[in-house]
Amino acid sequence: MSKAFTLIKEEQVSELNSTAKLYVHKRTGARLLSIINDDENKVFGINFRTTPKDSTGVAHILEHSVLGGSEKYPVKEPFVELLKGSLATYINANTFPDKTCYPIASPNLQDFYNLIDVYMDAVLHPLITEQTLMQEGWHFEINDPAEPLTYKGVVFNEMKGAYSSPEGVLETRIIESLFPKHIYSVDSGGDPRNIPDLTYADFKAFWENYYHPSNSFIFFYGNDDPDARLKLMEGYLKSYKRKKVKSTVKPAKPFKRAKKVEYSYDAGSDTDIESKNYLVVNWALPETTDPILNFSLRILGSILIGTPASPLKKALLDSGLGEDLAGLGLETELRHLIFSTGLKGTRARHAKKIERLIIDTLEALVRDGIDPDMITASVNTAEFRLRENNTGSFPRGIALMRRVLTTWIHDDEDPFKLLGFEATLNEIKARLAADPRYFERLIKTHLLENPHRTTLRLKPDPELARRLEEEESARLTKIRESLDGKQIAEMVKNTKNLKLMQETPNAPEAVATLPVLKLKDLEKENKSIPIEVTQLQDTQVLYHDLFTNGIVYLDLGFDLHAMPQEYLPLTEIFARALLEMGTETEDYVKLSQRIGKSTGGIYGDSLSTTAYGSKENVSKLFIRGKATMNQSTEMLNILKDILLTTKFDNRERLKQIVLEEKSGVESGLVPGGHIFANRRVRAQFGGSGWVNDQMSGIGYLFALRELAKDIDKKWPSVLKKLETMRDALINNRSLICNVTLDAANWAAFKPRLENFIFALPDKEVTLKPFDIKASPEKEGLTIPAQVNYVGKAANLYDLGYEFDGSADVITGYLRMAYLWEKIRVLGGAYGGFCVFDENSGVFSFLSYRDPNLDTTLENYDNAAGYLKNLDPNLFNDNELTKAIIAAIGDLDTYQLPDAKGYTSMMRHLTGKTDAMLQKKRDEILSTNGEDFISFGEVLEKAAKSEAVAVIGSQAAIEGSKAGLKVTKVL
């Protein structure tokens, strides 16, 4: 063990099969938490407690900036260079109200060490110049003395996008309302109105103050050498001495009485704003440090609003006073826990009713008691999630790091307390057994008798965007009028110098300093996933023999081609109705509780893709469930009941589901506009793209609005459609079952599954192809936003391209080189992407939180020339190697067992064999310069495509020279 560190505490965390060791670095006081286990997806993070004093976004801008070049790696953006050529499963940085985190994850040891080296030099020795602040934060943009001044900057535009989202504004205002005159009352991400107040001196001083090892919290997780971790860190920390950093986040001063606050959000040009208010009630709760109270409040949050059966959620939605829940729910990542709930899609005059309803419901629960089945279901759900430890594609280690930081960052002497959960859960169960009113008492103490509460109304303001634009314009005009000719000339010079810096390639010798894997470090053979294709009754069953720690993962796929094409927009509603409407023997509350008590969750998931090498459309509705083996029979019983006996005749309940879905899609348009733009532009090519837009995109939103009206006016017709869908879909002849489980447990589960299949209808089935014609057009879809999401697409197969694995290398390089520079660095957008669907042949360009529109489309069209004219030296140095490595990393992305089983099923459904996957891998590894040129030639044809979809501001869309057909979405 390194002598540079003192071991403070060591503990076996049996629930995670891990050993946790807490150290302090003797010279600096840096804290280091080392978690040792057999997870190959290794994680490292260096975290700093950062406490900004204002809303200039200094913490956020600095988070971007330190990854923009360092002393050891003096390239413009080492972060991008890493993304170009790493096997990493996660590379990013995150700004929170009280901390800034720099986590990475990789299953490859050398890659892991390379990433650590770049990140440590970035945070401790960044080259943060004035131009760094100009690019990542904000600057005055003026290209000619006759032009007006404008603001530009990546974070400036990112936060304009964030402030265009009502949910984003609501989250910020909730925390601000609960913690006035506290660090949490400022926006660490940055308010666009305040970002231009940030000076370079303050920017640099923030780094000098907070980015010191004495203020750091270092985290390791995984199967790398634990002694090497300490030696590695000593190498970075040994030149530093202990420094006193004033960064403590003090506990909030409790309110003496509850408060009411109002804020506004940008409602765009919509005149129908009466029912677009938000009303939420929010509580500041105790600190996160007590694990029993922490986990108890998490369970209480689930009891109150976590499921359709939750009494507070049900009361709010049944009231008809709003469309869907709003608020933070239970926020767990600050020093204080927060509970927040209410309604969106409400009327201003209903504010008092909603507030009263929340309080009355909580009082009734304390007075009359919580349904014991609801408590049992919530405790079981919490326990299942903790034991399963399934974080999806997000690395487990980073999820644990964030959980630990909630107490550790505030100098808690025992950061292990939130790692384990057995003792905590056992204590909660013991308290509940001794006092069946345990959770009722928590409601009384921490909600009803807690005056640290705010009632917040977020009101729509159709004039807000105009006022903000006028304020910004007036501010810029005033600044310009205060400048003399010499000062304006200096600004023009600064703008040009910044662009020159942005456009000047990194020096080859600087790029060469970055650590890069070699091709010999890559696996040459494709990783196969076990699959056994069998038949039970008339149903095809796919089985994957994988270790799942005794959990059964079951996917039931129903073929959507068995139903009429016009019912596609009802797919998600049908899936939710199965799980949230109740059956012949149980109402939806009891059904929801039963699911919570007896499974790890059951949910619906639609899929539409193209079979590889054909135009055949694969579209299915999946009902996905998971349970422990001893609960697996009950899971199958629940699935049988919902598939065969769901009652669709509760008009009000279905209306709630539809309004929740509609509200969810509308809320997702600003934070996820690029996703919706991608679905919309791909829909123009027919096939699976059109189906996906109908089931989860803009087409789905339009259909939901019509469906809400039809429920009111044509209820018998809606009911008949749902019955028709059940009759068409629930049939074991068109069903596919996908099971992921180890062999010993499969032997026990297989006969249970066969009995389940036998109970399903067995009848003739006719699968009809969807009749969808391609119809490329230039669409402009307007929403109230200060930024745009710009998509353009073409079908490369229709243009003569034949797929080659090199496409993965080229699109990855195009994304991280050309699009990053043109769309983000020069254009000021938060992101630029390109996506190629090798199944359908559709290739799309996309931008995210983009201040531009026409310029972005022009940049897309120029991508072909970029590829065709690449410097031949590219293919003689490590640029090509990096691009190949990144493509292999995407191919070999780390997956948990359930994801592996699902991936294997997808390959089966689309006709991708192991031999085909190996051929693709070989083509990736042998990619050369000719491949880039060939791809550039097909993109040259793609530039002529008329398929464009832009989601953005009305002014930008109507002012575009692209000739967009304008449709109002919000």
Side-chain angles (χ1 to χ4, degrees):
M1 189 185 84
S2 170
K3 294 179 180 178
F5 289 86
T6 301
L7 178 64
I8 303 298
K9 185 178 175 66
E10 178 176 350
E11 193 173 294
Q12 292 298 125
V13 187
S14 58
E15 302 95 315
L16 303 176
N17 196 26
S18 300
T19 300
K21 296 183 178 183
L22 177 65
Y23 299 90
V24 169
H25 186 243
K26 294 175 182 177
R27 281 177 62 84
T28 65
R31 303 86 158 167
L32 188 150
L33 180 53
S34 181
I35 297 182
I36 305 152
N37 53 37
D38 62 0
D39 193 338
E40 65 172 340
N41 198 22
K42 293 165 276 289
V43 164
F44 165 80
I46 181 164
N47 312 281
F48 300 95
R49 191 166 56 207
T50 48
T51 52
K53 306 298 187 291
D54 55 38
S55 295
T56 57
V58 59
H60 185 191
I61 295 167
L62 194 58
E63 172 235 299
H64 281 238
S65 299
V66 300
L67 295 171
S70 63
E71 289 179 8
K72 187 175 180 181
Y73 303 114
V75 298
K76 287 189 292 185
E77 295 184 281
F79 176 72
V80 178
E81 298 301 325
L82 288 175
L83 287 170
K84 282 182 185 176
S86 170
L87 296 174
T89 53
Y90 192 90
I91 302 179
N92 212 335
N94 314 103
T95 304
F96 294 87
D98 52 15
K99 55 186 172 281
T100 308
C101 305
Y102 295 89
I104 55 97
S106 178
N108 180 284
L109 184 62
Q110 188 56 56
D111 189 43
F112 184 59
Y113 287 154
N114 290 349
L115 294 168
I116 291 172
D117 195 49
V118 173
Y119 263 52
M120 287 301 292
D121 201 60
V123 298
L124 296 178
H125 309 288
L127 302 178
I128 43 176
T129 66
E130 289 193 58
Q131 284 189 326
T132 311
L133 173 60
M134 289 172 68
Q135 175 178 298
E136 296 301 325
W138 76 277
H139 66 272
F140 292 114
E141 180 94 351
I142 180 168
N143 295 287
D144 184 276
E147 287 183 358
L149 284 181
T150 58
Y151 289 128
K152 258 200 175 176
V154 173
V155 169
F156 180 76
N157 284 315
E158 178 190 351
M159 296 312 295
K160 273 200 165 185
Y163 273 75
S164 296
S165 164
E167 272 72 17
V169 173
L170 183 67
E171 179 177 342
T172 300
R173 300 307 183 207
I174 288 170
I175 297 172
E176 176 185 326
S177 75
L178 286 169
F179 302 101
K181 299 179 182 179
H182 187 275
I183 174 189
Y184 295 152
S185 69
V186 304
D187 187 349
S188 61
D191 185 323
R193 290 172 292 185
N194 302 125
I195 289 172
D197 295 330
L198 179 62
T199 66
Y200 177 66
D202 289 341
F203 171 68
K204 188 77 180 290
F206 196 88
W207 171 77
E208 290 170 347
N209 186 34
Y210 294 106
Y211 280 60
H212 189 278
S214 299
N215 190 44
S216 69
F217 299 78
I218 300 166
F219 181 90
F220 279 93
Y221 166 97
N223 67 354
D224 54 305
D225 182 348
D227 291 331
R229 296 172 177 178
L230 303 180
K231 292 174 185 174
L232 199 61
M233 287 300 106
E234 167 60 2
Y236 299 116
L237 304 179
K238 63 185 178 183
S239 63
Y240 291 86
K241 294 181 180 178
R242 193 180 294 257
K243 173 185 173 183
K244 187 171 180 61
V245 180
K246 292 182 179 179
S247 61
T248 303
V249 178
K250 295 179 181 178
K253 187 177 179 181
F255 288 1
K256 292 181 179 178
R257 62 188 62 84
K259 300 180 180 180
K260 295 186 188 299
V261 290
E262 282 192 3
Y263 300 97
S264 300
Y265 75 90
D266 174 16
S269 60
D270 200 338
T271 53
D272 180 24
I273 61 170
E274 173 59 24
S275 61
K276 293 192 174 178
N277 290 267
Y278 291 67
L279 192 288
V280 289
V281 181
N282 322 289
W283 285 266
L285 303 175
E287 295 181 54
T288 57
T289 50
D290 180 346
I292 294 169
L293 182 59
N294 188 311
F295 280 84
S296 295
L297 289 172
R298 289 169 189 249
I299 294 169
L300 179 61
S302 176
I303 289 171
L304 292 176
I305 60 171
T307 74
S310 297
L312 185 51
K313 178 176 182 176
K314 184 175 184 297
L316 285 165
L317 295 180
D318 284 353
S319 73
L321 297 173
E323 291 188 346
D324 196 5
L325 285 197
L328 301 178
L330 189 75
E331 166 58 52
T332 62
E333 294 203 68
L334 302 179
R335 178 154 195 168
H336 288 267
L337 294 160
I338 295 171
F339 183 68
S340 161
T341 194
L343 286 170
K344 59 181 173 181
T346 74
R347 296 179 181 276
R349 67 175 184 270
H350 291 154
K352 287 184 179 179
K353 284 185 182 178
I354 296 167
E355 180 186 22
R356 190 67 254 165
L357 176 61
I358 291 170
I359 302 302
D360 286 348
T361 304
L362 294 174
E363 288 176 344
L365 290 171
V366 172
R367 182 182 63 248
D368 304 331
I370 303 167
D371 184 341
D373 285 344
M374 189 71 244
I375 295 174
T376 303
S378 295
V379 171
N380 176 72
T381 298
E383 186 168 0
F384 187 98
R385 286 174 181 166
L386 287 165
R387 293 193 190 287
E388 184 191 26
N389 194 20
N390 190 332
T391 55
S393 61
F394 191 75
R396 282 172 164 168
I398 298 178
L400 283 176
M401 182 186 82
R402 286 175 58 168
R403 190 194 300 174
V404 169
L405 281 171
T406 57
T407 60
W408 191 29
I409 204 86
H410 302 300
D411 299 322
D412 192 298
E413 294 179 0
D414 181 11
F416 300 163
K417 62 174 62 170
L418 296 183
L419 280 177
F421 54 83
E422 290 284 3
T424 301
L425 279 176
N426 287 337
E427 176 60 24
I428 292 171
K429 289 176 182 177
R431 291 187 183 186
L432 188 58
D435 177 10
R437 293 183 58 81
Y438 175 64
F439 286 104
E440 287 88 345
R441 295 190 197 286
L442 290 180
I443 293 173
K444 184 179 180 183
T445 301
H446 298 292
L447 299 179
L448 292 175
E449 295 178 350
N450 177 7
H452 200 143
R453 182 179 92 217
T454 61
T455 299
L456 186 156
R457 182 164 80 92
L458 189 67
K459 54 187 181 181
D461 184 348
E463 296 296 313
L464 181 61
R466 180 188 58 77
R467 288 201 308 274
L468 290 175
E469 286 174 13
E470 288 176 354
E471 286 174 17
E472 184 178 301
S473 179
R475 181 179 184 180
L476 288 164
T477 300
K478 186 176 180 181
I479 291 169
R480 185 186 169 95
E481 288 172 350
S482 71
L483 302 173
D484 58 28
K486 184 178 179 182
Q487 289 171 313
I488 290 174
E490 184 68 20
M491 281 188 177
V492 172
K493 181 182 175 183
N494 288 340
T495 300
K496 290 180 177 177
N497 286 343
L498 178 62
K499 286 189 176 175
L500 179 64
M501 182 275 287
Q502 291 169 333
E503 292 173 338
T504 303
N506 287 307
E509 59 272 19
V511 176
T513 63
L514 285 161
V516 180
L517 292 174
K518 304 290 188 284
L519 289 182
K520 63 180 177 61
D521 296 322
L522 304 180
E523 294 285 344
K524 302 297 186 293
E525 300 298 318
N526 215 54
K527 296 178 182 178
S528 62
I529 302 171
I531 182 171
E532 176 188 317
V533 183
T534 185
Q535 198 87 4
L536 292 178
Q537 307 289 336
D538 290 317
T539 299
Q540 187 177 66
V541 176
L542 310 180
Y543 165 63
H544 314 282
D545 181 6
L546 294 167
F547 177 72
T548 62
N549 204 24
I551 295 174
V552 183
Y553 294 101
L554 173 65
D555 307 310
L556 304 176
F558 300 95
D559 200 316
L560 295 175
H561 290 276
M563 71 179 192
Q565 176 180 315
E566 61 266 26
Y567 290 1
L568 283 168
L570 280 167
T571 304
E572 180 64 25
I573 297 299
F574 176 76
R576 284 194 59 183
L578 289 177
L579 295 162
E580 299 177 34
M581 294 282 285
T583 66
E584 291 175 358
T585 57
E586 295 172 300
D587 63 21
Y588 76 88
V589 171
K590 286 300 176 188
L591 175 62
S592 178
Q593 291 171 351
R594 183 180 168 203
I595 291 170
K597 286 194 297 183
S598 306
T599 77
I602 300 174
Y603 63 98
D605 189 18
S606 59
L607 160 77
S608 182
T609 186
T610 306
Y612 188 74
S614 77
K615 296 279 188 181
E616 183 185 341
N617 176 260
V618 179
S619 293
K620 295 190 181 292
L621 166 63
F622 283 99
I623 303 298
R624 308 185 67 189
K626 54 187 175 183
T628 58
M629 269 300 290
N630 63 4
Q631 292 176 326
S632 63
T633 299
E634 177 62 359
M635 177 180 71
L636 291 171
N637 288 335
I638 294 170
L639 288 167
K640 182 174 70 173
D641 287 348
I642 64 172
L643 294 174
L644 300 181
T645 72
T646 288
K647 295 185 72 176
F648 297 121
D649 60 356
N650 185 337
R651 184 196 293 205
E652 290 306 311
R653 179 64 191 142
L654 189 71
K655 179 80 175 285
Q656 283 179 2
I657 291 171
V658 171
L659 291 178
E660 283 179 48
E661 281 291 307
K662 180 180 79 71
S663 178
V665 176
E666 290 172 345
S667 298
L669 284 171
V670 172
H674 59 308
I675 297 169
F676 287 95
N678 192 35
R679 287 178 187 149
R680 192 64 176 179
V681 77
R682 286 171 177 267
Q684 298 181 22
F685 296 92
S688 60
W690 184 86
V691 174
N692 279 320
D693 184 63
Q694 290 294 301
M695 294 196 300
S696 60
I698 298 292
Y700 178 49
L701 175 58
F702 292 157
L704 285 170
R705 289 172 177 167
E706 288 302 312
L707 181 58
K709 296 175 186 175
D710 287 347
I711 290 173
D712 289 334
K713 299 177 181 178
K714 303 176 183 177
W715 172 241
S717 170
V718 172
L719 186 58
K720 185 176 179 182
K721 287 178 182 177
L722 292 173
E723 295 288 2
T724 301
M725 288 178 73
R726 173 163 55 191
D727 187 59
L729 295 176
I730 312 305
N731 183 353
N732 68 23
R733 296 193 190 186
S734 57
L735 170 66
I736 186 167
C737 292
N738 189 58
V739 183
T740 305
L741 187 64
D742 65 273
N745 281 313
W746 172 233
F749 182 67
K750 186 176 179 180
R752 302 175 197 175
L753 180 63
E754 185 165 18
N755 287 336
F756 164 78
I757 291 170
F758 186 76
L760 297 182
D762 179 3
K763 53 194 175 186
E764 290 296 326
V765 62
T766 303
L767 302 177
K768 296 179 181 177
F770 297 142
D771 181 22
I772 311 159
K773 302 290 190 296
S775 56
E777 63 176 339
K778 295 180 177 180
E779 269 197 299
L781 303 152
T782 66
I783 61 172
Q786 300 175 61
V787 288
N788 307 300
Y789 306 86
V790 184
K792 181 170 182 176
N795 190 311
L796 303 191
Y797 294 162
D798 290 348
L799 299 176
Y801 179 71
E802 293 186 10
F803 180 75
D804 185 276
S806 61
D808 284 18
V809 181
I810 298 159
T811 54
Y813 185 80
L814 194 61
R815 189 163 54 244
M816 295 314 306
Y818 176 80
L819 292 173
W820 183 277
E821 178 186 329
K822 294 294 185 183
I823 306 301
R824 180 180 168 117
V825 176
L826 288 169
Y830 189 55
F833 319 95
C834 58
V835 185
F836 182 43
D837 178 2
E838 65 187 74
N839 291 355
S840 68
V842 177
F843 176 94
S844 53
F845 288 108
L846 301 158
S847 68
Y848 183 66
R849 291 184 176 171
D850 190 346
N852 309 302
L853 199 166
D854 291 344
T855 306
T856 296
L857 289 171
E858 187 179 330
N859 282 322
Y860 294 163
D861 292 345
N862 292 338
Y866 171 80
L867 289 178
K868 289 174 64 180
N869 298 312
L870 276 172
D871 185 342
N873 291 330
L874 167 72
F875 311 111
N876 300 325
D877 62 22
N878 65 7
E879 284 293 291
L880 179 59
T881 298
K882 287 192 293 188
I884 290 172
I885 290 167
I888 291 293
D890 289 341
L891 204 63
D892 292 346
T893 186
Y894 181 82
Q895 292 184 313
L896 296 175
D898 60 319
K900 286 183 179 179
Y902 193 81
T903 296
S904 181
M905 176 189 67
M906 287 293 295
R907 291 172 179 173
H908 174 81
L909 291 175
T910 55
K912 287 184 182 173
T913 64
D914 280 348
M916 292 164 67
L917 291 167
Q918 185 61 49
K919 178 175 180 289
K920 176 180 175 179
R921 188 184 200 89
D922 294 342
E923 290 167 350
I924 288 173
L925 291 168
S926 60
T927 300
N928 58 44
E930 290 299 318
D931 296 317
F932 279 72
I933 293 168
S934 298
F935 205 82
E937 288 171 349
V938 74
L939 285 191
E940 203 165 39
K941 299 176 186 176
K944 299 173 184 175
S945 172
E946 293 289 304
V948 173
V950 179
I951 298 176
S953 74
Q954 184 172 339
I957 287 172
E958 290 180 347
S960 168
K961 298 175 183 176
L964 302 170
K965 175 189 172 185
V966 182
T967 303
K968 182 179 176 181
V969 177
L970 281 180

